[in-house]
Amino acid sequence: MKKLVLFIDKTRFIEELICDSFKVLLFTRPGRFGKTLTMDMAEKFFSVKYADREDLFEGLAIWQ
């Protein structure tokens, strides 16, 4: 039996963080909905520590 693997590009979320002027962001989703993964992605994108790691986002929506 083959295992189906899907990749969902959630990098457009970063664009929303940059462009929208939210005062507060509250992430309320059910468990196993990708909150931690999304926050880790945002950390890598905004962190100076990963500034030289363009390969992390190359080819994704936020890269455009």
Side-chain angles (χ1 to χ4, degrees):
M1 184 176 208
K2 290 185 178 182
K3 186 176 183 179
L4 178 64
V5 178
L6 296 175
F7 174 77
I8 300 171
D9 184 357
K10 293 187 174 188
T11 58
R12 291 215 186 270
F13 174 75
I14 295 172
E15 182 180 5
E16 289 182 34
L17 285 175
I18 295 170
C19 295
D20 293 340
S21 58
F22 297 114
K23 290 184 180 181
V24 175
L25 290 173
L26 178 63
F27 298 97
T28 58
R29 295 281 188 224
R32 311 217 23 98
F33 206 81
K35 294 180 299 293
T36 302
L37 181 63
T38 302
M39 292 297 96
D40 287 345
M41 175 188 60
E43 174 200 3
K44 303 291 188 284
F45 187 80
F46 290 112
S47 176
V48 174
K49 187 167 65 173
Y50 295 95
D52 60 341
R53 293 291 314 273
E54 295 176 352
D55 60 305
L56 294 174
F57 295 96
E58 189 173 2
L60 299 176
I62 195 66
W63 189 255
Q64 299 168 3

